[in-house]
Every structure is written in C-alpha cells, then in structure tokens.
Amino acid sequence: MEFLHSFLPIVLYIFGIVLLIVLIILGIRLIQTIDRTNRLLDDVEEKVHSLNGFFHLIDTITDNLSFLSDKIVDTVSNVITRIFKRKKKEEEEYE
C-alpha cells in the first residue's frame, strides 16, 4: 500500500508532463494553421477587391438594361391602351 502512495503521484506527474507537452505542440501547430489560413484569406480578399470594379460595371449595365426594358414595356402598354380606348370611343360615338 505504501508503494502505491509513492508510485501513483509519480505516474500522475509524468502523465501531466506528457499531456502538457502534447498540448503545447498542438497549440503551436494550431497557431501555424491559423497563420496559413489568415494568409490565404488575405489573398482571397485582395482578389475580390480587385474584381469590385468589374462587378460595379456589371451592376450598372444591368440597372440600365432594366430601366430601358421598363421604359419599352411602359411605352408598348401605353400604345395598346390608347388603341383600345379609341375603339371604345368610336363604338360609343357610333351608337
């Protein structure tokens, strides 16, 4: 029994030291992985910022095309509406 009282703390200390060393190594590797990830994300962010002008150009073009198509549809619908109003007026005048 006395052997266990002296042996178990030594075993626990050794396991604690091994665990501490393993955690330090894992922490260092985690820091290295985070640094690589940060560099990769910075590179992606630079590339995205370089494309902002292109996306702005596409957005402007689509807005203008949408405005143009709205005007065309509005004009066509006004013409059709005028044609039907004329026919109704002519029918009313005829009666």
Side-chain angles (χ1 to χ4, degrees), residues 24-38:
I24 289 172
I25 291 171
L26 287 176
I28 291 171
R29 288 197 176 172
L30 180 66
I31 290 171
Q32 291 172 349
T33 303
I34 289 173
D35 286 341
R36 277 187 256 141
T37 305
N38 281 338

Side-chain angles (χ1 to χ4, degrees), residues 5-90:
H5 284 290
S6 62
F7 180 69
L8 283 178
I10 294 172
V11 171
L12 288 176
Y13 289 141
I14 290 173
F15 283 144
I17 291 170
V18 169
L19 181 63
L20 183 64
I21 291 171
V22 168
L23 289 176
I24 289 172
I25 291 171
L26 287 176
I28 291 171
R29 288 197 176 172
L30 180 66
I31 290 171
Q32 291 172 349
T33 303
I34 289 173
D35 286 341
R36 277 187 256 141
T37 305
N38 281 338
R39 278 186 265 137
L40 178 68
L41 289 175
D42 289 341
D43 186 41
V44 168
E45 187 175 346
E46 286 176 21
K47 290 179 181 176
V48 167
H49 283 303
S50 69
L51 292 175
N52 275 346
F54 177 70
F55 289 135
H56 181 67
L57 177 68
I58 297 261
D59 187 41
T60 304
I61 290 171
T62 56
D63 287 344
N64 288 335
L65 287 176
S66 174
F67 178 73
L68 180 65
S69 66
D70 287 344
K71 286 295 183 184
I72 291 172
V73 168
D74 188 40
T75 305
V76 169
S77 67
N78 284 338
V79 167
I80 291 173
T81 304
R82 286 180 189 164
I83 290 173
F84 283 119
K85 281 186 178 180
R86 283 186 195 167
K87 286 186 179 181
K88 280 186 177 180
K89 284 183 181 179
E90 288 176 2

